[in-house]
Amino acid sequence: MSEAARVLELLAERGHTLAVAESLTGGLVAAELTGVPGASKTFRGSVTAYATPLKEQLLGVDGTLLAERGAVDPEVALQMAAGVRGVLGADWGVATTGVAGPDPQDGRPVGTVYVAVAGPAGGAAGAGKVAALRLNGDRAEIRRESVRSVLELLGEVLVGEHSENARAQDTEQNGGD
């Protein structure tokens, strides 16, 4: 089973939805997800905010943050993930931002990528989780690995949140604290 199919299945089991914000991947995450039969049960849609101003205008990323740090930044990735959740009305949001090459951007070398997940408030990822990547390879390889990495991060968060919920329920059932 592909990582896209796995995360869509995990989301469907919870009755949750997903939205995607993409920059360097330019729609590849959405394409990977929609390639899975039945994706429409959980996948709401995506925003490809390739140009930096669109990250602010469409996703609500803080303009001062973008001006000071540029688009390739972990906090920008988190704000993109949270922003797309709100804009598209989803339970979960994921985001990709980075430098696929051929040239550095915002003082960041080629292969610098941030992927992020933002989940429902009160959950393990309510505040968001971001992963910093240093990827090697050509432009296509960096973009493919970014897609794989953001889906893998979402899968880890979903499985981790499920484990935390199961432990909490077990503790309550067994009279623990």
Side-chain angles (χ1 to χ4, degrees), residues 18-22 29-30 33 43 45-48 59 84 88 92-95:
L18 175 65
V20 176
E22 300 188 64
V29 177
L33 290 164
F43 182 61
S46 65
V47 173
T48 301
L59 300 171
V84 80
L88 298 184
W92 293 87
V94 298

Side-chain angles (χ1 to χ4, degrees), residues 24-25 28 99-102 110 135-148:
L24 84 149
T25 50
L28 293 175
V99 187
V110 172
L135 304 176
N136 297 312
D138 64 20
R139 181 176 173 80
E141 291 168 321
I142 290 169
R143 294 173 77 217
R144 273 194 308 273
E145 184 61 21
S146 298
V147 171
R148 189 197 65 74

